[in-house]
Amino acid sequence: MTAPTPQAPPPTVVPSDRRDASERAATGARVASLAAELRGAGVPAGVTEQVASVVRTAGLDAVIDLGAGMLTDEQAGVVLLDALLDARRRGVGSAETAAELRAVARLQTVVRQLLSGLAMTTRTAGVGDRS
């Protein structure tokens, strides 16, 4: 009788986990950067959410074809167009791009709420200091 051949150990999951973590970090950085740019350009979270819906429905290329004029504010449209072109360069599909835009909209909302709360706290503290 011959002894069974030893089997190779299962592949380690660590490299895949590291790659996934790296991709999540890169996505998080893109989302934060775009949220900051859109906030700076005065784009409300609701507009970002609407663009995400159009990307998901009509497709990334169709929205890119609209150009910067997709938004009333040309500067804001340029910021958004650059982000969509970057997504296409990275080979990201419409559904993934829509998901990133929705994450951007959530972050825009959180930042707006934080800034509003901070402004309210500052005003309240300032009013109480006056004598």
Side-chain angles (χ1 to χ4, degrees):
M1 224 188 246
T2 59
T5 311
Q7 294 198 4
T12 310
V13 186
V14 175
S16 176
D17 287 349
R18 283 190 194 136
R19 187 179 62 240
D20 290 347
S22 175
E23 288 173 5
R24 281 193 306 274
T27 299
R30 276 192 307 276
V31 165
S33 175
L34 183 56
E37 286 184 62
L38 291 177
R39 188 172 43 82
V43 177
V47 170
T48 305
E49 184 70 39
Q50 286 177 325
V51 172
S53 293
V54 175
V55 166
R56 189 179 253 316
T57 306
L60 180 57
D61 288 337
V63 178
I64 288 173
D65 288 344
L66 294 173
M70 73 179 89
L71 298 183
T72 309
D73 181 341
E74 194 78 12
Q75 177 192 355
V78 168
V79 171
L80 200 46
L81 180 60
D82 284 347
L84 297 177
L85 289 169
D86 176 60
R88 184 167 65 186
R89 272 191 298 275
R90 290 184 286 119
V92 177
S94 298
E96 240 181 306
T97 302
E100 280 190 13
L101 287 173
R102 286 199 165 93
V104 167
R106 283 191 300 275
L107 188 55
Q108 285 177 287
T109 300
V110 168
V111 169
R112 183 181 52 79
Q113 289 170 342
L114 287 173
L115 292 176
S116 296
L118 182 61
M120 184 67 75
T121 302
T122 303
R123 279 195 300 269
T124 304
V127 170
D129 292 342
R130 295 181 188 166
S131 299

